[in-house]
Amino acid sequence: MPEQTRAGVRAARLGLRIRVSVAALLVVVAVAGRGRAQDPVSDAVLRFETTPEDGRPGGWFGGPPEHLGVDEQIVHGGDRSATITRSFEEDSEFSTLTLRVPAGRVGQRIVFKAWVRSREVVNFFGLWLRQDGRAGTVDFQHNYELDLKGDQEWREVAVSTVLSDRAESVFFGVILNGPGKVWIDDVELLLDGKPWREAEVRELERLPMDDDTRFTGGSNLGPKALSETQVERVAELIEVWGFVKAHHPKVLRGEVHWDFELLRALGELWRKPMAAVEHRRWMASWLEELGLPERCDSCKPPDGDVHLPTRHDWIFDEERLGSELTAALVKIHAGRLPEGGSVYVRLNPGVGNPDFGGEQAYAHLDFVDAGFRLLALARLWDVVDRWFPYRDLIDTPWPEVLRAAIPRFAAELDGSGYKLELLRVIAEIRDTHANLWSGVNERPPTGDCSVDAGVRFLRDEATVWALPSSEAGKPVAAGLEIGDVVTHLDGRSVAELVAEWSPFYAASNVPTRLRDIGRSLGLGECDAGTVWTVERRTERGSKEAIDVELVRSRRKTTGLPGGFTHDRAGETIQDLGADVLYVKLSSVKQGDGQRIVEAAAGKKALVVDLRNYPSAFMVFELGGRLVKKNSPFARFTSADLGNPGAFRYGPSLFLSPLQPSFDGPVAVLVDEVSQSSAEYTAMALSVDDDAVVVGSMTAGADGNVSPLALPGGQRTMISGIGVFYPDKTPTQRIGIVPDIEVIPTPEGLRDGRDEVLEAALRHLLGDGAEEVAIREVAAWPLAKPPTGTP
């Protein structure tokens, strides 16, 4: 499913280096840009014609400051241009030149344009455009897919997005990742084609809750060792608080600062331990003080094709809650708003996944105290309990997860510990989309440097599958070989380390968790030595244990450009001979559907490789050319705002035949990197009777994502809609089940074979095909095993 609303989602298609840059950029800009707004932005500032400040562009910020400068010799227009300069020796990953303006304008489309020039850029540079609101980042767009690097003469580039009504500030700027130099000149910020400063000003929405500043600087709640009884009191409070947040009209409309009300209630528990009866009576009086709403006569229970019912039976349990609290909760439920929705959550138009843009990030709180940590836990727990379309697939009962986490969040924690505890809870959701994207580097193993080797877990074995080379052509991780199975790191078994690290890795299934652990396996301290024990298998089948001494580095080599894909190198469309056409969707462009089937004309079979993330949305454009009749391939579930917690099925989605078409058999290749949009695309391209899916378990995380801000400026997300086959067979956690299961082997990697493609060709070409011919066609299109991009 296309991952709409996800900040920087396109970065995933360009590899780890860009994903990390985007995540870091969101944090750095938020801190650096606080309080630095210019409105209106003058032409002189945009075109760098103001007087430089300490040798840097006047009116702009960013950094590191020493990387920013002005040039009066090389310009596109006027007397000055701005520069960003980086060397190989920098400690920081990137540098940025940034400007910020208030978002209070009337209009639709923002366009940020600039003229740029570069010399000796090793990694990439580009433009980015970001909108911030209560929840932190509301929208983030960039043009990194242009792959700007090397030596570029003056050229105009742009990035655009739709102005969000959730936005309070607009940030825009230029990023340089890695060494090199970039010149920037003649910047324009446009709204609906006109200069930003000429757009009509509008007042940003202000809610009654915005006037409540009781806990703006912190909750004043210190860490506390909680007894089992106290944990139960906090858990009950969070459950009640979340229920009221989803149903009470005053809270829904933002008339009460409900976050701060939780902090106030926690303060009562911190000051005065309460017995169960006393605590429930206190909560009842708390709700009476809020005011109990009148009954909503037009509210109706969920109807239609319900997938998940509401989960509020517990509010009727007088034995557990007491009569007073039960009566208050029942009245609040009966007085909910018929249309649902609130300042905290609404549904995105078209798709219907939740938009949590009204949640406040409290990014100004550099130290998150115990009260705000528990607020983060309460918000995360409540969102999953009420708005996660796959909550029925969570392994551990969700109330148990809450009670286990409360004492950890209340204890003394530093910033790293807070992020680790969030990671631990998020991992319980079993959703690959639901990571702590602002703190993913806190997962073990940690470190700024890595052994430069690609590792995949194949049947639970950590296998070296790619070894990039330095520019001089020498393998960086000297001593390792393709196909080596890593058994120990510095004397500790990989199996033991996986068991220790797994609780912090959010993933829908085991292969996906191992995928992410494999990508992190080499992390550690820079320039530090490490010993990997590998099992090397010879061509005769014997095994030998070898200790390989390695050194972690900052990856100043060519890196692993194919680290997020397992498809073939080379062109998007490749003629494999033997009457087979191959296409990989990692580099496909919108509009290529017709070009693909035209290239397949006269071929007996087509292979579509989805061991990647599609670079363009091809579900209908290509899928419609592979079906012979109207074919249902998926249906979604979405939340019912009027009945928080309920999810209903929508109608089936169909592929309709398009011309030109391809009528032959199709093989769709998948594995653990096939995630979200790749999985949704695989559902569509394999719907025809002549199509098969070949490979292994996919990531099992489908559905448009919904970002969620957490206190301290932390960011996570969840799969926001449910994705099912037309017969309601699920895809979450299960993924796209292959018709022909194939998992590569260490021996196959060592020999430079693509065993998944081989299996697809055997199926497509039939029993008469010669094995030698199949292996020759399916061989990696590089000299012997992949030592660069696979």
Side-chain angles (χ1 to χ4, degrees):
M1 191 80 204
E3 298 181 10
Q4 297 171 358
T5 78
R6 177 175 177 176
V9 67
R10 288 174 293 172
R13 304 171 195 155
L14 301 178
L16 180 60
R17 59 191 177 93
I18 293 180
R19 180 189 287 274
V20 173
S21 295
V22 169
L25 180 64
L26 295 176
V27 175
V28 170
V29 172
V31 174
R34 197 174 303 143
R36 292 286 306 274
Q38 292 213 9
D39 191 16
V41 182
S42 70
D43 275 346
V45 170
L46 291 173
R47 300 181 188 278
F48 309 106
E49 298 304 309
T50 57
T51 303
E53 300 172 2
D54 296 326
R56 295 183 287 275
W60 294 73
F61 64 96
E66 61 271 19
H67 296 172
L68 307 182
V70 294
D71 194 323
E72 297 181 351
Q73 303 300 317
I74 300 175
V75 298
H76 180 264
D79 296 326
R80 298 185 185 93
S81 65
T83 62
I84 308 175
T85 308
R86 294 175 52 86
S87 70
F88 272 99
E89 284 69 41
E90 306 296 349
D91 290 332
S92 61
E93 181 188 351
F94 66 88
S95 305
T96 181
L97 179 68
T98 303
L99 206 60
R100 173 189 167 205
V101 296
R105 288 290 185 272
V106 176
Q108 301 259 327
R109 179 155 292 277
I110 314 171
V111 178
F112 163 37
K113 298 162 59 173
W115 285 84
V116 294
R117 180 181 186 271
S118 67
R119 288 294 180 268
E120 299 179 347
V121 172
V122 174
N123 288 347
F124 72 94
F125 70 95
L127 306 188
W128 54 268
L129 178 60
R130 169 184 155 187
Q131 300 178 73
D132 275 11
R134 294 172 182 272
T137 298
V138 173
D139 178 69
F140 184 86
Q141 302 295 330
H142 56 74
N143 64 1
Y144 303 170
E145 70 275 8
L146 294 179
D147 205 19
L148 297 170
K149 59 184 175 183
D151 295 344
Q152 302 272 342
E153 295 306 322
W154 284 112
R155 61 182 290 188
E156 188 177 37
V157 293
V159 62
S160 69
T161 191
V162 174
L163 179 61
S164 171
D165 62 352
R166 297 275 204 190
E168 297 177 352
S169 298
V170 175
F171 292 86
F172 56 101
V174 181
I175 183 175
L176 171 58
N177 180 292
K181 185 168 184 175
V182 175
W183 288 259
I184 310 102
D185 206 352
D186 292 338
V187 169
E188 292 183 87
L189 184 67
L190 307 174
L191 185 60
D192 294 339
K194 296 180 180 179
W196 180 270
R197 65 182 179 279
E198 295 180 9
E200 180 185 346
V201 176
R202 68 175 173 88
E203 289 294 323
L204 296 174
E205 180 185 23
R206 186 165 182 83
L207 301 168
M209 61 182 281
D210 295 331
D211 296 326
D212 187 342
T213 60
R214 285 175 293 171
F215 301 107
T216 301
S219 71
N220 298 317
L221 298 182
K224 193 177 185 68
L226 299 178
S227 67
E228 287 187 18
T229 299
Q230 290 171 317
V231 168
E232 186 59 30
R233 299 292 87 78
V234 175
E236 289 174 348
L237 173 63
I238 289 174
E239 289 173 326
V240 168
W241 172 85
F243 179 83
V244 175
K245 179 179 179 179
H247 294 87
H248 199 297
K250 279 189 178 180
V251 179
L252 298 178
R253 296 183 182 121
E255 297 175 23
V256 182
H257 202 313
W258 203 235
D259 284 356
F260 286 2
E261 279 299 299
L262 177 64
L263 297 177
R264 179 169 77 92
L266 286 170
E268 292 291 329
L269 291 177
W270 250 237
R271 284 187 291 274
K272 179 185 176 185
M274 300 184 199
V277 172
E278 182 185 8
H279 180 241
R280 288 155 193 166
R281 283 177 178 165
W282 182 89
M283 286 194 289
S285 65
W286 178 44
L287 300 183
E288 289 280 356
E289 181 184 333
L290 175 66
L292 301 181
E294 294 298 320
R295 180 178 181 83
C296 169
D297 293 327
S298 60
C299 291
K300 299 178 181 178
D303 57 3
D305 199 350
V306 177
H307 171 234
L308 291 178
T310 56
R311 197 195 69 80
H312 67 274
D313 290 350
W314 60 275
I315 71 170
F316 300 99
D317 189 348
E318 285 193 24
E319 184 175 344
R320 177 193 169 196
L321 301 177
S323 59
E324 295 167 286
L325 182 55
T326 294
L329 293 174
V330 169
K331 194 162 187 179
I332 289 171
H333 179 261
R336 66 193 186 278
L337 299 180
E339 69 278 9
S342 70
V343 297
Y344 299 105
V345 60
R346 63 189 184 190
L347 299 186
N348 282 305
V351 178
N353 57 310
D355 174 357
F356 303 116
E359 298 285 6
Q360 296 192 52
Y362 305 109
H364 66 284
L365 296 176
D366 298 321
F367 172 74
V368 182
D369 59 32
F372 273 92
R373 290 199 301 268
L374 286 168
L375 171 61
L377 173 62
R379 182 185 296 174
L380 174 62
W381 184 87
D382 181 62
V383 160
V384 173
D385 191 52
R386 222 165 301 280
W387 306 110
F388 183 48
Y390 304 118
R391 68 168 187 266
D392 57 321
L393 300 181
I394 298 174
D395 294 329
T396 305
W398 200 230
E400 290 183 19
V401 172
L402 174 64
R403 284 158 174 78
I406 285 170
R408 303 197 303 266
F409 278 75
E412 187 167 357
L413 292 174
D414 60 12
S416 176
Y418 170 54
K419 293 175 186 177
L420 279 171
E421 291 304 334
L422 285 173
L423 282 164
R424 192 194 298 267
V425 174
I426 290 168
E428 293 276 10
I429 303 171
R430 299 294 187 261
D431 180 18
T432 309
H433 282 146
N435 219 317
L436 186 67
W437 297 107
S438 54
V440 70
N441 291 337
E442 298 290 345
R443 296 182 309 191
T446 59
D448 294 327
C449 291
S450 181
V451 171
D452 220 352
V455 176
R456 289 179 67 185
F457 278 83
L458 305 174
R459 298 193 186 278
D460 297 338
E461 293 183 322
T463 307
V464 178
W465 75 281
L467 290 173
S469 300
S470 67
E471 292 180 357
K474 247 176 150 185
V476 176
L480 291 179
E481 293 183 6
I482 300 293
D484 283 349
V485 174
V486 186
T487 61
H488 292 76
L489 301 182
D490 297 320
R492 295 192 65 189
S493 75
V494 170
E496 179 185 353
L497 293 171
V498 166
E500 181 181 308
W501 297 339
S502 288
F504 303 100
Y505 279 76
S508 300
N509 51 47
V510 172
T512 311
R513 182 177 302 113
L514 293 177
R515 176 199 74 186
D516 292 345
I517 291 176
R519 291 171 178 172
S520 302
L521 202 64
L523 288 173
E525 294 182 12
C526 296
D527 301 319
T530 179
V531 177
W532 286 18
T533 303
V534 301
E535 183 182 87
R536 187 163 297 161
R537 301 172 185 180
T538 68
E539 294 182 5
R540 297 186 184 89
S542 62
K543 302 176 182 178
E544 180 182 8
I546 300 172
D547 286 342
V548 181
E549 295 184 7
L550 303 164
V551 176
R552 300 184 185 95
S553 67
R554 288 191 181 274
R555 297 197 177 196
K556 293 177 183 176
T557 67
T558 55
L560 281 169
F564 280 87
T565 68
H566 297 151
D567 51 22
R568 291 165 62 89
E571 298 297 321
T572 302
I573 301 173
Q574 301 175 27
D575 189 339
L576 298 187
D579 292 325
V580 178
L581 189 77
Y582 168 94
V583 57
K584 59 177 182 178
L585 297 194
S586 57
S587 56
V588 74
K589 294 181 175 59
Q590 213 67 55
D592 274 353
Q594 180 171 337
R595 186 166 73 95
I596 290 167
V597 298
E598 287 175 348
K603 295 290 186 182
K604 290 182 179 178
L606 174 65
V607 174
V608 181
D609 203 335
L610 275 164
R611 296 173 295 176
N612 50 49
Y613 192 94
S615 58
F617 188 66
M618 301 300 290
V619 168
F620 298 100
E621 180 185 333
L622 180 57
R625 302 181 192 280
L626 304 182
V627 295
K628 305 171 186 67
K629 59 184 179 181
N630 286 342
S631 304
F633 69 95
R635 65 190 309 183
F636 304 150
T637 64
S638 58
D640 180 349
L641 286 180
N643 293 282
F647 282 79
R648 292 180 294 187
Y649 284 103
S652 292
L653 278 74
F654 284 77
L655 291 179
S656 298
L658 296 175
Q659 295 298 325
S661 64
F662 179 76
D663 296 330
V666 176
V668 179
L669 311 186
V670 299
D671 64 11
E672 72 273 15
V673 304
S674 309
Q675 179 173 322
S676 196
S677 182
E679 294 177 288
Y680 183 58
T681 305
M683 294 172 71
L685 302 191
S686 62
V687 70
D688 193 80
D689 293 338
D690 288 336
V692 295
V693 177
V694 183
S696 54
M697 178 178 274
T698 61
D702 210 345
N704 291 50
V705 297
S706 295
L708 174 67
L710 297 171
Q714 302 306 307
R715 294 175 295 104
T716 186
M717 58 182 66
I718 60 171
S719 298
I721 60 172
V723 180
F724 297 78
Y725 285 99
D727 64 359
K728 301 182 182 178
T729 299
T731 62
Q732 182 76 4
R733 300 192 63 177
I734 299 169
I736 309 305
V737 179
D739 299 297
I740 303 171
E741 185 182 38
V742 184
I743 299 175
T745 64
E747 294 81 5
L749 291 175
R750 182 195 64 208
D751 295 338
R753 294 168 53 197
D754 185 343
E755 293 162 286
V756 177
L757 180 54
E758 286 178 13
L761 293 174
R762 287 190 198 98
H763 171 79
L764 294 172
L765 298 177
D767 296 335
E770 294 184 9
E771 183 67 19
V772 173
I774 286 176
R775 290 199 179 189
E776 182 177 343
V777 169
W780 293 101
L782 295 172
K784 202 128 158 166
T787 54
T789 307

